[in-house]
Amino acid sequence: MKLQKGQVVEVKIEKIVYGGEGLGYYNNEFAMFVPMSVPGDVLKVEIISLKKSYGRALIKEILIPGPERIKELSYVTFEDFQGCDFGMLNYESQLKYKKEMVEDVVRRIGKNSKVLIEDTLESPVEKNYRNKVIEPFSLNGKEIITGFFKRKSHDVFQVEDNMLNSVLGNKLITELKELLNKNKISVYDEKNHRGLLRHVMVRTNSFGEAMVVLIVNDTKVNEELKSILTDLKNKFKEITSTYISLNNRKTNVAIGDENILLLGDKTIKEDISDIHFNISPTSFFQINLLQTRRLYDLAISMFENIENKTIVDAYAGTGTIGMILSKKAKQVYSIEIIESAVKDGIKTAKENNISNVEFICGDVNKELAKLIKVKKVDSIILDPPRKGIDEESLLNISKVGIKEIVYISCNPSTFARDIEILEKEGYELTRVKPVDMFPQTSHIEVVGRLIKK
């Protein structure tokens, strides 16, 4: 029988593939990728797209649940799980499949069949771990809502209690929506570029404090919104910082170019390894604090004889890892191309009386070559964005003769690609440890160690 889009068929899921979708076969021969499915599931699925050799389908009904599926069988869609594409799996199985996904790309893309892929480092918390959320505003009839975008859509769906947001963050967003609805504030419509409310961002910390940022389509602070945010702050003593972010551009980027402090402090604080960090509306900071501490401890433990070493923190951002490294290493050089991030790093180092980190603003390629000419560098730590590191940079790192590399990656595919290049240049991958920074999702962090043969 020829398959058609919209047709409902029965499939049994055999495995989870890289990216988090389940793979099953219709009539044991035609591959079908099914989001939110679990190995062992027998499902009725509706076909949403067809190619020559495979299709994609959505769950209509669970006939027989796989053994690793959570007990709540009425939840079958991306929206049921609040956009969490691993929410249907028990946590032990999430860790297992994340390890398998890292192993797949290291073997297939990285061309490395030898290195042992260690078990995934579990997160101390499985839910309510995010210290930062940005939720878009929308209208449900006349009601102002916030939530998540539906899969491959800009339609917003709302949930009563965001399972990943901090408990305090959920409380603040719920109360803010009540105030906005009471005052009938207009919601931004991206089609006609009208309306005020675009997004709300809430950042929380381990001290029970919060920063609220209301992102609006405007060029100046609206007095009515200022009054609403004042009422919110008066109701919650936990709010220590309140901003309005002005973003009147036609863009998918949430935060605006101008962020105006209305009430309280400019930043909220956070501590890692007894180092005090200041976080502003635009700061990059890891979202799962408890696991961030474990991630950095793991990365630092991969350096041998760290006490005697001079280490370069490349793609350093505000120098978070470099400053934590400085507690053990002899000397750290932090290289970052974005000037504002370097300034933030210098400020943090001064506030914490850290004297053995030197901040360098510039391109890693050029600055590393200059540094090597005048200083003996033993090791380098890499923590690039999702796109990984360009080949020229990797070749330059290998040319300067650094003997030890620790590589932190939020994208196992680009990690594997970059590892293959480094191994061709004479490095050997000796350790790979997946780290679960994002429970309930298919995203996975990975830390690896390489030494020059």
Side-chain angles (χ1 to χ4, degrees):
M1 181 177 72
K2 189 176 179 182
L3 293 173
Q4 297 178 359
K5 186 177 173 182
Q7 186 177 345
V8 175
V9 297
E10 186 176 311
V11 295
K12 182 175 181 179
I13 302 301
E14 294 189 1
K15 63 180 180 178
I16 288 179
V17 296
Y18 187 78
E21 292 188 341
L23 170 62
Y25 291 88
Y26 172 68
N27 276 352
N28 295 318
E29 56 184 27
F30 189 80
M32 203 70 74
F33 294 95
V34 184
M36 316 308 296
S37 62
V38 170
D41 275 350
V42 179
L43 307 167
K44 275 188 180 177
V45 299
E46 181 180 351
I47 299 170
I48 57 171
S49 66
L50 282 169
K51 301 292 183 185
K52 190 174 181 181
S53 60
Y54 68 92
R56 293 188 75 248
L58 299 178
I59 299 172
K60 295 291 287 181
E61 184 183 351
I62 300 171
L63 300 174
I64 302 172
E68 295 166 313
R69 181 175 281 279
I70 64 166
K71 290 188 173 72
E72 183 49 82
L73 297 182
S74 63
Y75 291 179
V76 296
T77 69
F78 182 72
E79 290 76 25
D80 288 336
F81 288 103
Q82 305 173 22
C84 297
D85 57 358
F86 260 20
M88 70 290 177
L89 284 164
N90 65 55
Y91 189 55
E92 191 176 316
S93 298
Q94 291 182 34
L95 299 174
K96 180 183 80 171
Y97 289 119
K98 290 184 180 190
K99 175 184 175 180
E100 288 181 6
M101 287 193 286
V102 171
E103 188 156 28
D104 171 56
V105 293
V106 169
R107 307 292 185 232
R108 182 168 47 83
I109 299 173
K111 309 288 193 300
N112 186 312
S113 59
K114 296 183 296 183
V115 69
L116 171 73
I117 310 300
E118 299 174 24
D119 289 341
T120 306
L121 181 65
E122 75 283 357
S123 173
V125 284
E126 298 171 25
K127 294 181 179 178
N128 300 115
Y129 57 81
R130 289 191 67 110
N131 54 33
K132 171 191 168 185
V133 293
I134 301 178
E135 293 190 7
F137 284 101
S138 188
L139 285 172
N140 181 19
K142 292 185 177 180
E143 182 193 2
I144 298 169
I145 65 169
T146 64
F148 306 86
F149 290 123
K150 292 180 180 178
R151 204 163 204 166
K152 299 187 177 179
S153 159
H154 268 214
D155 295 333
V156 174
F157 68 95
Q158 181 169 246
V159 296
E160 282 187 26
D161 195 26
N162 180 338
M163 75 165 89
L164 300 189
N165 190 12
S166 68
V167 173
L168 174 58
N170 279 332
K171 279 185 192 172
L172 297 180
I173 291 174
T174 298
E175 180 62 27
L176 176 62
K177 282 185 284 194
E178 285 189 20
L179 292 169
L180 294 170
N181 274 296
K182 187 177 173 184
N183 288 271
K184 296 183 171 59
I185 306 299
S186 64
V187 172
Y188 178 68
D189 184 329
E190 63 182 18
K191 289 177 184 173
N192 60 33
H193 196 54
R194 290 180 184 166
L196 267 179
L197 302 172
R198 294 185 74 141
H199 293 81
V200 58
M201 176 168 78
V202 176
R203 305 191 85 139
T204 52
N205 65 12
S206 58
F207 303 100
E209 298 167 338
M211 170 187 286
V212 176
V213 182
L214 190 62
I215 302 157
V216 298
N217 174 42
D218 211 337
T219 55
K220 62 185 187 303
V221 173
N222 177 294
E223 288 302 316
E224 190 174 13
L225 290 181
K226 186 175 180 180
S227 174
I228 288 169
L229 289 171
T230 301
D231 289 346
L232 183 71
K233 188 176 188 305
N234 289 339
K235 188 160 187 176
F236 290 92
K237 67 180 187 309
E238 296 94 336
I239 299 175
T240 58
S241 178
T242 305
Y243 278 84
I244 281 185
S245 177
L246 303 177
N247 183 0
N248 69 333
R249 293 175 296 143
K250 291 183 178 179
T251 176
N252 288 330
V253 176
I255 199 84
D257 293 327
E258 192 176 0
N259 299 297
I260 298 165
L261 178 68
L262 293 185
L263 302 157
D265 303 325
K266 279 188 177 181
T267 60
I268 61 171
K269 62 181 182 290
E270 194 53 271
D271 284 0
I272 302 179
S273 298
D274 297 322
I275 298 173
H276 169 84
F277 294 94
N278 294 301
I279 304 165
S280 71
T282 56
S283 296
F284 170 78
F285 203 78
Q286 291 276 13
I287 59 170
N288 182 344
L289 179 68
L290 293 175
Q291 188 70 332
T292 296
R293 290 170 173 150
R294 286 153 64 89
L295 170 72
Y296 291 163
D297 285 347
L298 170 67
I300 291 167
S301 74
M302 288 193 181
F303 290 104
E304 288 187 355
N305 303 316
I306 189 171
E307 295 80 7
N308 303 314
K309 285 185 170 172
T310 296
I311 299 174
V312 169
D313 174 16
Y315 311 95
T318 55
T320 306
I321 301 172
M323 283 184 270
I324 296 169
L325 270 171
S326 73
K327 289 181 149 297
K328 291 190 175 180
K330 183 171 71 176
Q331 176 68 38
V332 176
Y333 293 95
S334 178
I335 304 177
E336 170 57 49
I337 199 166
I338 297 171
E339 187 178 359
S340 60
V342 174
K343 285 180 178 176
D344 285 345
I346 291 169
K347 182 184 174 198
T348 302
K350 281 182 180 173
E351 287 177 355
N352 288 277
N353 298 314
I354 296 169
S355 58
N356 62 331
V357 177
E358 185 176 322
F359 293 86
I360 300 168
C361 186
D363 179 79
V364 169
N365 274 339
K366 295 173 184 173
E367 299 303 331
L368 184 59
K370 284 187 209 169
L371 184 64
I372 291 290
K373 286 178 182 174
V374 293
K375 300 287 183 183
K376 178 182 177 292
V377 174
D378 303 293
S379 307
I380 188 167
I381 188 162
L382 306 170
D383 188 8
R386 285 191 64 79
K387 66 181 180 178
I389 305 171
D390 64 274
E391 186 169 359
E392 182 190 1
S393 298
L394 292 168
L395 295 177
N396 285 337
I397 287 168
S398 67
K399 279 176 191 169
V400 297
I402 292 173
K403 292 189 166 54
E404 182 183 46
I405 299 172
V406 172
Y407 190 149
I408 301 174
S409 173
C410 59
N411 185 343
S413 291
T414 53
F415 169 82
R417 179 202 68 199
D418 295 349
I419 291 303
E420 189 201 6
I421 294 168
L422 288 167
E423 292 209 294
K424 282 180 180 175
E425 294 302 308
Y427 284 92
E428 179 185 0
L429 183 62
T430 62
R431 279 193 73 184
V432 177
K433 178 82 172 174
V435 179
D436 188 20
M437 294 292 290
F438 315 106
Q440 315 307 325
T441 80
S442 62
H443 296 295
I444 181 69
E445 204 102 353
V446 60
V447 185
R449 177 176 183 265
L450 301 102
I451 55 169
K452 193 86 167 175
K453 287 191 282 191

